[in-house]
Amino acid sequence: MRKITVINMKGGVAKTTTVHTFSYGLARRGYRVLMVDLDPQCNLTENSQVKMEQDNIDLFELFQNYQDGEPYDSHDAVYPVAQMNEQIDGKLDLMYASLYMSTADTKFTEVGRESALADILSQLEDEYDFCFIDTPPTIGLLTANAIVASDECLIPATPSYFALNGMNVMIKQISQIKKKMKLKIKVNGILLTRTTHTLVSDAMTDEIAEAAKILETSVYSTTIRNSTKVEVAQYASEDVLAEDSNVARDYNEAIDEFLRREGL
């Protein structure tokens, strides 16, 4: 199972949309995919058509068991994503978040707490081809867990001044975590989202390409155009690829580029 954290310290750059659409797109291509929602906002969970019951186990409970040294089965927190599409049915699952995850930094204080998710996912290693992890727009315990658990990162970014500033902060934070935890995590690439061709965005694209070199990666040649189709799909709890549109074509091209970067 290849584990990919989708990360950016700035909100509004389509992290959740990218996790959701890449996961659905890869499932449509025949891969078994696990989505992990580590964001306490739970947007990925809400948009994934999972039947949630009161007694369902979520990631917070697994983190709690890990800290307390209690036995747990990661499969108990894996839920199938309901689909009418035969291409996807049975190929896409979710481990979902709860609002309790927002207390993680103060709730989980034991030594080794950054490795909880890695331990949880190790039980599922042979059951999926890909795991995509959605992260909050902060560097805290949850994002550190995602980085420690992952083989690589994918960074969605908008071609804007504030996104560039956030990326520079993120580069420093990722470097610090890699050094502290002795990690070899790589960056798969930077995916430009919500793009509009203006002089400012074109200039920022060049700046982001320079920042990519620091992370020893590159910007995807595919860009994701800004589109209201994304909000329409989210409102209907559908994936962006369900209907043909410019943004669906962009994401399909980006998924193909992702696979090429993975050597597949």
Side-chain angles (χ1 to χ4, degrees):
M1 178 169 68
R2 304 189 189 195
K3 298 173 285 294
I4 302 99
T5 286
V6 179
I7 184 174
N8 196 317
M9 296 304 98
K10 186 171 186 316
V13 298
K15 283 195 307 295
T16 300
T17 300
T18 297
V19 170
H20 193 265
T21 308
F22 268 54
S23 297
Y24 275 70
L26 288 166
R28 286 173 184 271
R29 287 161 171 79
Y31 293 101
R32 286 277 292 141
V33 185
L34 175 66
M35 298 185 291
V36 176
D37 191 353
L38 270 192
D39 190 342
Q41 296 179 85
C42 308
N43 291 334
L44 179 63
T45 297
E46 291 175 3
N47 201 38
S48 294
Q49 300 184 42
V50 170
K51 187 178 181 181
M52 299 172 67
E53 305 290 351
Q54 219 172 13
D55 58 349
N56 282 169
I57 294 174
D58 61 36
L59 276 167
F60 183 83
E61 293 180 62
L62 294 189
F63 270 65
Q64 184 71 65
N65 287 343
Y66 174 84
Q67 173 170 274
D68 294 345
E70 297 291 335
Y72 64 86
D73 186 345
S74 298
H75 297 83
D76 292 340
V78 174
Y79 300 93
V81 174
Q83 278 298 322
M84 299 299 291
N85 190 316
E86 291 183 2
Q87 288 179 299
I88 296 176
D89 193 38
K91 298 185 182 73
L92 186 60
D93 293 332
L94 172 75
M95 300 185 85
Y96 67 75
S98 69
L99 293 174
Y100 293 114
M101 296 297 280
S102 62
T103 67
D105 282 279
T106 54
K107 179 73 174 177
F108 306 121
T109 58
E110 298 295 321
V111 173
R113 62 185 188 148
E114 297 91 350
S115 300
L117 184 62
D119 193 74
I120 290 165
L121 293 179
S122 68
Q123 296 185 22
L124 308 170
E125 188 68 41
D126 298 326
E127 299 179 29
Y128 299 92
D129 301 299
F130 295 102
C131 170
F132 283 90
I133 304 170
D134 192 21
T135 56
T138 57
I139 283 285
L141 177 62
L142 297 178
T143 301
N145 260 270
I147 293 172
V148 170
S150 294
D151 304 302
E152 54 196 288
C153 295
L154 174 63
I155 303 173
T158 55
S160 66
Y161 174 75
F162 292 116
L164 180 61
N165 282 348
M167 186 172 297
N168 288 330
V169 173
M170 183 177 61
I171 288 170
K172 294 178 182 176
Q173 296 287 353
I174 290 176
S175 297
Q176 288 174 2
I177 293 173
K178 286 176 65 176
K179 184 176 180 180
K180 178 183 177 183
M181 302 296 294
K182 297 180 173 60
L183 303 176
K184 295 182 179 180
I185 186 170
K186 69 173 185 176
V187 179
N188 171 277
I190 297 173
L191 177 65
L192 293 179
T193 61
R194 306 180 69 178
T195 60
T196 55
H197 288 294
T198 65
L199 289 175
V200 173
S201 67
D202 289 346
M204 288 299 102
T205 297
D206 293 338
E207 294 282 349
I208 290 171
E210 288 301 312
K213 294 177 183 178
I214 300 174
L215 290 168
E216 299 179 337
T217 190
S218 61
V219 176
Y220 272 58
S221 59
T222 307
T223 60
I224 310 300
R225 283 169 281 189
N226 195 28
S227 174
T228 57
K229 294 289 187 181
V230 173
E231 285 76 17
V232 171
Q234 290 170 344
Y235 179 77
S237 293
E238 295 178 346
D239 70 288
V240 171
L241 306 178
E243 294 187 13
D244 185 47
S245 64
N246 286 336
V247 72
R249 288 191 287 274
D250 290 346
Y251 263 113
N252 269 318
E253 289 179 16
I255 293 166
D256 288 339
E257 184 173 348
F258 167 81
L259 290 171
R260 290 194 298 273
R261 287 172 177 245
E262 294 290 303
L264 299 173

